[in-house]
Amino acid sequence: MTSVAEAPVARVERRLLDGELGLDAHLARHGRLPVLDGSQIIGMARDAGLTGRGGAGFPVWRKLSAVAAGGGAAVVVANGAEGEPASKKDRALLAYQPNLVLDGLQLVATATTAEGAHLYAPKAALPALRALLAARAAAGLDRRPVTLHAAPDAFVSGEESAVVSAINGRGAVPADKRIRVVQAGVGGAPTLVQNVETLAHLALIARYGAGWFLSAGTPDEPGTFLATISGAVRRPGVVEAGYGVPLGELIAAAGGATMHLQAVLIGGYHGGWVPADPALPVSRQTLQPYGASPGAGVIVALPAGACGLGETARITGYLAEQVAGQCGPCINGLPRMAATLADLAARRPRAGLAAEAERLARLVSGRGACHHPDGTARLVLSAMRIFEADVAAHLNGRCLAAEGQR
Amino acid sequence: MKLHVDWTACDGRGVCTELLEEVLVEDDWGFPVARDGQRSPTVPPPLEAAARQAVDRCPMLALKLRSR
Ligand SMILES: Cc1cc2nc3c(=O)[nH]c(=O)nc-3n(C[C@H](O)[C@H](O)[C@H](O)COP(=O)(O)O)c2cc1C
Ligand code: SF4
Ligand code: SF4
């Protein structure tokens, strides 16, 4: 772990969300995209160490190379679905700095020699984007026309294969992964699906260089990320910071905690619970011991007095409702897991209740067309660990939060 | 070889768990689960013939053998 002395700049810092609104302001501030060829774009993404901001954190240059190697008529997709209820950052980005996303989309189209470019986002965001695309066309900005698609409001609608299926006109449900979308996606063409924030970072890297990008974040996890902070904070909303930013600084940037915090959910509904330690750096490396990761930057602060098991049961119930009814272990396992958590939260103890929650979590993991069961299991397992004392109390018919002991 | 289950197709009637009981067992709902706990369980060479048979007999064409 990095010691305090050698800790790099990892502070709240505005890059994406800086600047005035509108195309004129965008061009005045950042100028037009420099002319770059495909290998230059892929090289810059690699040198910058840019990773996906949609949750999985996969290196962008590798996906770009894979799709470029597919040869010929590739397709690129900007994914702004943001099906996660606790996330607001992609909506914020599309509302305040959509030009960065559209610039990034053109860059990845060039890098993969794509013919088709698509932007997939919630319906409410589309009218403004349509007007902006027209203004950009009039300014001679976009070499490839961009097609807009409405993302349904469902948790799994932003999963990569669901995005492809939606654009193919078959409904936003995930597909089997034996053939990956980078091989055959939209219209059967090699397809690159990239989160809108990832594309916006690429648009800045193309202008200011990999070295500039590396000056934020940690050496292993460079750059800034958008965090959506909610729960027991004074000003819930979207904050931008370098990876490795201490949790306390993120909370402070959201106006500070409204009361003492007992735990924080990081990485969203597919994420993990971590202790509310203000010094905890938010990075993959430091969160991994908790089974968590920054994911798509969702942070939910749980106040003292709230029951972590109750909150986990509520989220698990929601996730069980969001199952795209396709895969047996997910269709059956998630509702069962939710019911088990609900019993635990409501202090309806029975023999083996806690062990049953963990068994189900392990049983469903890896057994679906998408990672929805795995993500749900991760949340449940992290809750069983961090709320261990609450589990023990609930099994004895008591609740530490209700008794004011948390 | 590894066994891949297309979960969007599998209906959990358990033909494969009978033909390939060394590799697969039924979960709480009848769906195949790998004994080795892997997402795509490894099929040892002596069981490859049985695995091919399971692939051929799966009524939903949900099973595939793949080299990696
Ligand atoms: C259930 C589920 C939901 C997802 N929802 C989104 C989403 O709303 N937006 C998004 O960008 N990625 C989402 N993802 C991740 C995508 O599958 C994919 O990894 C991502 O769009 C790739 O872009 P990136 O590499 O730039 O992050 C989801 C994944 C899963 C398993
Ligand atoms: S794993 Fe669950 S959410 Fe994902 S495709 Fe299958 S049924 Fe749908
Ligand atoms: S035989 Fe095919 S459909 Fe039946 S349980 Fe096995 S994989 Fe599923």
Side-chain angles (χ1 to χ4, degrees), chain A residues 176 326 336 359 366-367 374, chain B residues 4 7 27-29 32 39:
Chain A
D176 183 52
Q326 307 197 91
R336 176 89 71 85
R359 183 188 73 88
R367 295 175 65 233
D374 319 33
Chain B
H4 172 85
W7 294 106
D27 70 6
D28 300 29
W29 311 283
R39 178 178 284 258

Side-chain angles (χ1 to χ4, degrees), chain A residues 149-230:
Chain A
H149 302 266
D153 182 19
F155 193 86
V156 302
S157 71
E159 194 270 346
E160 171 172 271
S161 61
V163 174
V164 166
S165 174
I167 294 174
N168 282 336
R170 285 197 304 266
V173 288
D176 183 52
K177 298 290 180 305
R178 197 168 63 94
I179 296 163
R180 317 279 324 189
V181 302
V182 299
Q183 300 167 273
V186 174
T191 299
L192 181 88
V193 177
Q194 216 78 69
N195 174 258
V196 288
E197 182 192 339
T198 313
L199 294 172
H201 284 293
L202 190 62
L204 292 181
I205 291 167
R207 291 179 169 98
Y208 307 117
W212 166 83
F213 188 76
L214 290 162
S215 68
T218 76
D220 289 340
E221 299 168 59
T224 58
F225 69 104
L226 298 178
T228 312
I229 308 175
S230 64

Side-chain angles (χ1 to χ4, degrees), chain A residues 234-329:
Chain A
R234 272 189 203 91
R235 283 197 312 274
V238 178
V239 167
E240 182 171 1
Y243 283 119
V245 62
L247 183 55
E249 282 192 32
L250 278 182
I251 303 276
T258 52
M259 50 185 115
H260 182 71
L261 303 179
Q262 56 160 314
V264 175
L265 177 63
I266 299 194
Y269 287 6
H270 278 177
W273 290 102
V274 305
D277 171 6
L280 180 67
V282 178
S283 72
R284 286 167 86 82
Q285 193 197 21
T286 47
L287 296 175
Q288 202 224 331
Y290 301 100
S293 84
V298 168
I299 297 192
V300 185
L302 184 73
C307 176
L309 294 175
E311 182 63 5
T312 306
R314 185 191 67 74
I315 298 173
T316 312
Y318 164 81
L319 293 173
E321 282 169 13
Q322 293 294 314
V323 165
Q326 307 197 91
C327 314

Side-chain angles (χ1 to χ4, degrees), chain A:
Chain A
M1 211 179 286
T2 347
S3 74
V4 176
E6 60 186 352
V9 231
R11 304 283 135 173
V12 171
E13 177 177 352
R14 289 166 83 82
R15 286 181 163 186
L16 297 178
L17 289 184
D18 206 9
E20 301 290 307
L21 298 185
L23 180 56
D24 291 343
H26 169 75
L27 289 175
R29 183 179 177 84
H30 299 298
R32 293 184 173 234
L33 275 176
V35 178
L36 298 165
D37 67 23
S39 63
Q40 285 174 312
I41 295 166
I42 296 175
M44 287 180 113
R46 186 193 54 223
D47 295 345
L50 178 63
T51 54
R53 300 308 202 239
F58 193 78
V60 171
W61 77 272
R62 287 216 263 145
K63 226 154 70 172
L64 283 173
S65 306
V67 176
V75 170
V76 292
V77 183
N79 185 2
E82 200 168 46
E84 157 93 50
S87 186
K88 299 278 182 274
K89 57 111 179 167
D90 290 340
R91 270 166 254 255
L93 185 61
L94 287 173
Y96 296 115
Q97 297 298 341
N99 285 293
L100 290 175
V101 176
L102 294 170
D103 285 350
L105 188 58
Q106 294 295 324
L107 287 168
V108 294
T110 302
T112 57
T113 62
E115 297 191 343
H118 302 266
L119 172 54
Y120 178 75
K123 202 170 160 201
L126 297 187
L129 290 168
R130 191 165 293 121
L132 179 60
L133 282 169
R136 287 173 61 101
L141 282 182
D142 294 333
R143 217 151 66 75
R144 289 171 195 76
V146 177
T147 314
L148 297 175
H149 302 266
D153 182 19
F155 193 86
V156 302
S157 71
E159 194 270 346
E160 171 172 271
S161 61
V163 174
V164 166
S165 174
I167 294 174
N168 282 336
R170 285 197 304 266
V173 288
D176 183 52
K177 298 290 180 305
R178 197 168 63 94
I179 296 163
R180 317 279 324 189
V181 302
V182 299
Q183 300 167 273
V186 174
T191 299
L192 181 88
V193 177
Q194 216 78 69
N195 174 258
V196 288
E197 182 192 339
T198 313
L199 294 172
H201 284 293
L202 190 62
L204 292 181
I205 291 167
R207 291 179 169 98
Y208 307 117
W212 166 83
F213 188 76
L214 290 162
S215 68
T218 76
D220 289 340
E221 299 168 59
T224 58
F225 69 104
L226 298 178
T228 312
I229 308 175
S230 64
V233 292
R234 272 189 203 91
R235 283 197 312 274
V238 178
V239 167
E240 182 171 1
Y243 283 119
V245 62
L247 183 55
E249 282 192 32
L250 278 182
I251 303 276
T258 52
M259 50 185 115
H260 182 71
L261 303 179
Q262 56 160 314
V264 175
L265 177 63
I266 299 194
Y269 287 6
H270 278 177
W273 290 102
V274 305
D277 171 6
L280 180 67
V282 178
S283 72
R284 286 167 86 82
Q285 193 197 21
T286 47
L287 296 175
Q288 202 224 331
Y290 301 100
S293 84
V298 168
I299 297 192
V300 185
L302 184 73
C307 176
L309 294 175
E311 182 63 5
T312 306
R314 185 191 67 74
I315 298 173
T316 312
Y318 164 81
L319 293 173
E321 282 169 13
Q322 293 294 314
V323 165
Q326 307 197 91
C327 314
C330 183
I331 295 171
N332 293 285
L334 266 53
R336 176 89 71 85
M337 205 150 65
T340 308
L341 257 296
D343 284 345
L344 193 57
R347 288 175 271 163
R348 290 188 290 263
R350 58 173 187 269
L353 186 60
E356 176 70 353
E358 300 208 18
R359 183 188 73 88
L360 288 167
R362 291 184 212 289
L363 181 62
V364 300
S365 288
R367 295 175 65 233
C370 78
H371 288 304
H372 189 51
D374 319 33
T376 308
R378 185 180 314 129
L379 172 80
V380 168
L381 289 172
S382 85
M384 300 304 284
R385 237 184 350 256
I386 202 155
F387 302 123
E388 201 182 357
D390 304 77
V391 171
H394 277 228
L395 290 174
N396 285 311
R398 297 176 40 220
C399 176
L400 301 180
E403 291 167 15
Q405 294 189 40
R406 294 246 23 170

